[in-house]
Amino acid sequence: MAAPLAPFVDPLPFPLRLIAGERDGRLTVRIRAGVHKFHRDLPASSIWGFEGLIPGPTIEAERAHAVTVEWCNQLEGPFPVCSTVAPEATDADGVPVQCLPGLSGGEPDRHASRLIGHTVVHLHGALTPASYDGWAENIFAPGQTAVFHYPMEQRAALLWFHDHVMGITKLDVYAGLAGLWIVRDERERELSLPEGPPFEVPLLIQDRNFDTDERGRLTGRLVHKTDPEVMEAFPPFTVVNGKVWPVLDVQPATYRFRVLNGSNARTYRLVLIHDGGPALERIVQIGTDHGLLRGPVSAPADGLVLASAERADLLVDFSDLAPGSELTVLNTAAAPFDGSAFPAADAPKAADLAGLLPYPEVLRFRVAGEAASPISIPRELATDFDSPPAEALSAAPHRMIALVEMELEDAPNMLTMRELEHVADDREGPLVTVRDGEQTTRYRSVAAHFEDTTTFFPMLGRYEVWQLVNLTGDTHPIHLHLDPFQILSRRAIRYEIPEGGIADRNLTAVITLERDRHDELDHTIDDNERGLKDTIRVNPNEIVEIAVRFTTYSGRYMYHCHILEHEDRDMMRPFVTMPPELMPFMA
Ligand SMILES: [Cu+2]
């Protein structure tokens, strides 16, 4: 399908830098309406942004140097995004409407058009006291200010801050309320990694759609469009640092890319193409969500997968390339993503309307200018973490969470996370039965919706094992607030859910820990997932086990799917971290 915008004509913008150390750790960030040009040939778009910018400014902080941010809500309506549900999933030519600009016959959602700018800011990946974590219901109105204190007692990593308002995160983030936050530390400096421009380049990848006028021309007005069959928005235009399909001139040198998938729902599988074929060997990944891996790893053979909110710290070597060389980053992940493979060699043919991927283009690099010496990559990177000790895990409480999708008539499907409680063998009623070899364990569902009773009270300092079992057809990136975690296992399951087994709160299912014969996924853990993560992909027909140890701060936090349309409806739950001394007093 011919693109209505020319790719690779806008230079990649670098977000404005706000270096906390130059301002005594005290920052003021105004949250306000603005205008932004997403592409040379698009009219300016109305947006909401931190400092009125897309992306918001990148805040750079030092480990153990606290940062206080005064978040000043100066938003004002009208809400800049037209939100709509198209009446049909495809147009008269059979093209999925989500691949097309415009409203596709949908009515603008009148509730969305009346939003006036309530917000709350969450710093994703930060070890933050609960009162500054951006609880989804602690909303501040236009004219109100929140002063949040971030201790920054954490290792170097790429974090990001974004709106987190109950029920409308998908709209507020889509309107532009997102920015990057980099924590730096001495370990990274010992490794002589590039810091700042030109060789350290943040890449915030998102997808956006725009309205059209009566003649079919793009107007620049942001459109969040879903359809009766797909409740997530998968817009056709990939936007990097605020530009559709930009181009970056690079010197023949090694670059450090700090990559974040900040899309509402889309998962990317990024493949670097040079001379018509994959050039993944040029990429070395050194860090993940919470910073450095123990050692550098190669890109996965199919390409680098990043679901919403996942990050990658990459070194890419252009040092041997002649001026004029061009390399292109393509996305091969169909949407909604279900973990299916796609060979990197086929990336130039990845366009797939049925997979809501009309344009695989992401970004182009054009080699120009002076050669600089390549970086030698140390074999040992992080030295400050190990796998969770076996004795800690054997004593760890286990928590089982089932991800389920309930189909509804005349309303978008509802996704929930069912917290499951172990019950005795003679228990009757709607139960989840898990068969693992000879062992059978039964559970009942004790919570499903955000407002249901809190059932998770992790004790500070103690390891816990969380088991996330996916009973839906799509991959869900599950994010825990507060501390990072490590993945322990990813295993195939098969399951049966009887007719009516997914009720509003109850759940009936039989889960067997063995591969379904129709299941083609390999359920492996990628090398780049063996670091400190805060968001983990849980693929269909899969159970993922993670080990988490909450530290430092007691209070009420959230965990949720980071597909924003899922988080808003209703894949989010609270947990309360508790100091050990107070546990005996819990009823
Ligand atoms: Cu989800």
XYZ file of all heavy atoms in Angstrom, residues 415 475-478 561-563 566 571, ligand 1:
83
model
N -10.254 -7.372 29.680
C -9.140 -8.227 30.069
C -8.879 -8.027 31.542
O -8.903 -6.906 32.039
C -7.899 -7.842 29.259
C -8.012 -8.253 27.797
C -7.781 -7.095 26.874
C -7.053 -9.391 27.494
N 0.130 -11.773 23.258
C 1.214 -11.533 24.222
C 0.876 -10.324 25.085
O 0.435 -9.301 24.580
C 2.517 -11.270 23.447
O 2.828 -12.443 22.678
C 3.674 -10.952 24.394
N 1.089 -10.449 26.405
C 0.874 -9.317 27.318
C 2.189 -8.961 28.007
O 2.775 -9.810 28.687
C -0.172 -9.662 28.390
C -1.495 -10.003 27.802
N -2.454 -9.054 27.518
C -2.010 -11.185 27.417
C -3.508 -9.641 26.989
N -3.270 -10.938 26.909
N 2.643 -7.709 27.873
C 3.825 -7.267 28.629
C 3.400 -6.843 30.036
O 2.741 -5.820 30.206
C 4.343 -6.078 27.813
C 3.166 -5.574 27.028
C 2.178 -6.690 26.924
N 3.774 -7.640 31.035
C 3.321 -7.369 32.409
C 4.406 -6.583 33.148
O 5.573 -6.974 33.165
C 3.017 -8.691 33.145
C 1.942 -9.487 32.379
C 2.564 -8.416 34.584
C 0.591 -8.808 32.244
N -0.766 -4.923 32.887
C -0.332 -5.112 31.502
C 0.041 -3.746 30.957
O -0.635 -2.762 31.223
C -1.457 -5.718 30.672
S -0.990 -5.922 28.937
N 1.139 -3.656 30.181
C 1.528 -2.350 29.650
C 0.967 -2.069 28.267
O 1.324 -1.069 27.632
C 3.037 -2.136 29.695
C 3.383 -0.730 30.106
N 3.147 0.360 29.296
C 3.860 -0.232 31.263
C 3.508 1.462 29.935
N 3.938 1.133 31.124
N 0.094 -2.933 27.758
C -0.732 -2.517 26.622
C -1.765 -1.575 27.222
O -2.563 -1.974 28.074
C -1.364 -3.734 25.930
C -0.254 -4.539 25.238
C -2.438 -3.296 24.934
C -0.725 -5.823 24.584
N -5.316 -2.361 27.509
C -5.621 -3.439 28.464
C -5.581 -2.912 29.894
O -6.456 -3.201 30.698
C -4.607 -4.582 28.320
C -4.681 -5.287 27.005
N -3.901 -6.372 26.702
C -5.438 -5.058 25.901
C -4.172 -6.788 25.472
N -5.099 -6.004 24.958
N -6.797 -4.553 33.144
C -5.665 -5.425 33.463
C -4.686 -4.724 34.392
O -3.520 -4.506 34.033
C -4.960 -5.802 32.168
C -5.042 -7.260 31.839
S -4.205 -7.647 30.325
C -4.016 -9.399 30.602
Cu -2.404 -7.043 27.941
